[in-house]
Structures are given as C-alpha cells and as structure tokens.
Amino acid sequence: MSRWLLILLLALLSGCAAMSKVGPGEVTVRDSLSVTLDDAWNQYSLGATAKTETWTIDGLPLDRLVFYVGIADGEALGEMSQRKDRQIPKYRTTMQAHEIVEMYEVLATSDGSSFQRQKLAPVPFAGGDGFRFEFSRVRKGDELEMRGIGYGAVRGSKLYLVVFEAPRSHYYARHLSRVEDVAKSVRIRN
C-alpha cells in the first residue's frame, strides 16, 4: 500500500480528515481567492493550514490541487515536522519566480521524492502578471511518476500559488484542461 493511501486511510479512520464538495459555480478559497468551477471537486481538510486548501477529483493519491493563499514575507509553504535538520525556505518578497519554484521543490521532495522542473514561463494569473511552471516528480513511497503544473503570482507582497499534481500515466492528462480552467478563473478578493 502506498504511503499516501495509508496516511489518507488512517486519517479517515481517525476522523481527522473532512471532505466536502465545492462547486460548480463561484467558490471562495481561504477567504482570499475566488475561482469559478464548471464541475464539483472534493475539498479535503487533511493537513490543511490557515493558508492552504486541497482539492481532488478522484482522491488524494490520484490527483490533488493545492492552493497556497496569501503567503506573507517570512512564511513557509508548509512544515517538515519529520526533518528538523532541513526546513522549507521561507518566502521573501524579493524572490523571483524560479526561487519560488525552488521553494516549492523543497516541500515536494521533503519525503525523499525526486523533482525535476521542466518549464517556467510568465503568464497572466490572478488578474495580473504571474508565472506557470511544469514539473515531474517520482513519489518515494510508491515510485509513481507524477506530473505537475503550478501557477503563481505576488500581489501586495503576498504569494498566491496553485499547484496540481497527478500520475503521469492517466490522471494528469485527464484533468489538465479542467485545472487550467480553474487557474484562469482565479481572482484575488479584496
């Protein structure tokens, strides 16, 4: 059994993971973003923080869309509680797009997974200038080849990042256009 599936199963059995449907229509993410959905997604509270929200279509081991909302100067995208000797770099308002992707890479590889950035380019996102990146990752727990895409922007010195990841073999291509539609609809709420 994969590590992620085991974690999800244990969390569900212990009652610490809640699932709810979001969409279709306009949905608010962490009181700071609005997105428009054509179809419903499943929202999980497993591992959620005040600045993250995780959605899935087919289940967390198969696909996940994570929103990092309003990350302020000096804050990290997440924590690596199992690794006290290595922590995720903290966001700085002076970071360039490639440095933000490198910060995400540290989070994505905190379990020993491998990560390779494939593309990084400027794109419109969240109502202004932003960036888009593509990556591949091999999950350490089950050696599954994952593909991912992320969109990011800095507004008012805060970082907004949306990252989708799914197995390369089927689920990534299956949901990519849906994820890109979500990313195109992202707006920062005032």
Side-chain angles (χ1 to χ4, degrees):
M1 183 179 297
S2 81
R3 180 175 158 238
W4 288 109
L5 186 56
L6 182 59
I7 290 170
L8 178 60
L9 182 60
L10 290 173
L12 290 172
L13 291 174
S14 68
C16 66
M19 179 183 74
S20 60
K21 291 278 186 194
V22 292
E26 186 170 317
V27 176
T28 300
V29 179
R30 292 290 176 233
D31 297 325
S32 297
L33 295 179
S34 67
V35 299
T36 304
L37 305 175
D38 290 334
D39 295 310
W41 287 71
N42 300 302
Q43 175 190 10
Y44 281 86
S45 65
L46 177 67
T49 69
K51 300 214 174 183
T52 64
E53 190 164 306
T54 302
W55 297 358
T56 183
I57 297 170
D58 295 309
L60 292 180
L62 301 176
D63 64 80
R64 72 178 62 219
L65 179 65
V66 182
F67 296 85
Y68 301 91
V69 181
I71 307 299
D73 189 65
E75 294 180 335
L77 294 177
E79 295 180 8
M80 294 173 30
S81 58
Q82 72 276 20
R83 296 278 314 259
K84 299 292 184 198
D85 62 322
R86 181 175 172 221
Q87 293 298 310
I88 298 167
K90 296 190 181 346
Y91 166 69
R92 298 286 175 225
T93 57
T94 58
M95 285 180 151
Q96 300 295 310
H98 73 277
E99 294 170 308
I100 293 169
V101 175
E102 289 167 2
M103 180 177 61
Y104 175 75
E105 178 181 348
V106 174
L107 176 64
T109 60
S110 64
D111 65 351
S113 298
S114 65
F115 184 97
Q116 182 178 12
R117 185 180 74 206
Q118 290 151 342
K119 292 182 182 177
L120 173 62
V123 297
F125 177 67
D129 293 336
F131 60 91
R132 178 183 185 271
F133 64 100
E134 295 178 26
F135 63 92
S136 61
R137 182 172 80 100
V138 177
R139 285 195 312 215
K140 182 175 179 170
D142 56 12
E143 298 298 319
L144 191 58
E145 292 181 39
M146 307 293 285
R147 287 283 320 253
I149 186 170
Y151 290 84
V154 175
R155 298 284 185 279
S157 74
K158 292 187 177 181
L159 173 63
Y160 297 86
L161 192 64
V162 177
V163 180
F164 174 73
E165 182 179 58
R168 182 186 62 84
S169 59
H170 175 70
Y171 293 93
Y172 180 77
R174 180 177 178 190
H175 299 309
L176 182 60
S177 66
R178 182 187 257 178
V179 169
E180 288 178 329
D181 288 345
V182 169
K184 288 175 188 171
S185 77
V186 170
R187 295 294 175 259
I188 297 171
R189 299 169 56 104
N190 294 327

